[in-house]
Amino acid sequence: MAQFTFAQGPNDPQSDAQWQVWQPDPANFAQPEMAFVETPAIVKDYDKYFYFHRQNTSFADALTDLRECDARARGIWQGKSARGETLGRTAYGLVGDLANTLIFVPAQDRLFRRANLRRCLYFKGYARYGLPKALWEAFNLQHIEAATPERDIQMSLVRQALVASGVRPVSRALGL
């Protein structure tokens, strides 16, 4: 898995709240690599590895939409996740609860996050396109947890906004 961290610059926001409203200049960021040859193995993973694009969308609008949908997908607006709702509810005692919390819940959180992100951006008019895992990891975070620095999340969203507002993809849209 690709390492995904960013150095803090002296003029960058200093708090999570500042990062969440930061308006970067897209000219300061490189467009992620998007060219690849489609194979059956890559296509099989399109439910996990995808990006969004909406024609005639500005970078600022794409970033705003991605931030809103990301907040909804992470449960920030509702304060819920599979983690808080399943602990202590298995029929297998303490060991079962521990295994559930360590294995099942993080995977379920990622699944819910992807589904909610897809739904939210689809509603906003974005099309979804598949991408190989290696290219996807260059501008996305695989695991977003409570300990993930907000600057890393926002830098990922900036790169996603570059793609979402960039050149129209040549591949076919995947739908919801």
Side-chain angles (χ1 to χ4, degrees):
M1 185 165 99
Q3 183 65 25
F4 197 80
T5 58
F6 300 97
Q8 178 97 17
N11 296 323
D12 287 342
Q14 300 301 308
S15 70
D16 286 355
Q18 290 173 337
W19 276 107
Q20 291 168 355
V21 296
W22 172 60
Q23 291 299 318
D25 181 353
N28 292 334
F29 297 90
Q31 181 78 19
E33 176 62 42
M34 304 300 286
F36 67 98
V37 175
E38 192 172 79
T39 67
I42 291 171
V43 171
K44 179 179 74 74
D45 284 339
Y46 280 173
D47 277 348
K48 290 183 191 177
Y49 307 112
F50 52 83
Y51 66 98
F52 299 95
H53 183 270
R54 186 172 70 188
Q55 195 67 15
N56 302 319
T57 297
S58 71
F59 169 81
D61 287 345
L63 183 56
T64 298
D65 291 341
L66 282 160
R67 281 178 170 159
E68 177 187 340
C69 291
D70 177 70
R72 289 180 184 274
R74 284 193 282 153
I76 292 173
W77 289 23
Q78 298 172 346
K80 294 180 182 178
S81 78
R83 184 176 322 282
E85 295 173 8
T86 60
L87 185 60
R89 295 197 183 171
T90 66
Y92 302 105
L94 183 60
V95 174
D97 287 348
L98 183 60
N100 183 48
T101 301
L102 295 175
I103 299 167
F104 173 72
V105 173
Q108 203 59 24
D109 278 348
R110 286 190 303 275
L111 179 66
F112 289 153
R113 181 178 179 276
R114 283 192 303 264
N116 288 337
L117 190 63
R118 284 167 59 169
R119 232 183 331 268
C120 182
L121 287 166
Y122 181 81
F123 175 75
K124 291 179 173 290
Y126 288 83
R128 185 174 66 93
Y129 299 88
L131 200 62
K133 181 180 180 180
L135 295 181
W136 182 88
E137 285 180 332
F139 63 101
N140 286 276
L141 293 169
Q142 176 75 296
H143 306 286
I144 297 179
E145 301 167 353
T148 303
E150 188 64 33
R151 76 170 181 274
D152 290 359
I153 295 167
Q154 293 302 318
M155 289 293 212
S156 172
L157 294 174
V158 164
R159 285 170 170 73
Q160 291 174 48
L162 285 170
V163 172
S165 63
V167 177
R168 184 166 192 239
V170 295
S171 60
R172 65 177 170 78
L174 300 174
L176 183 62

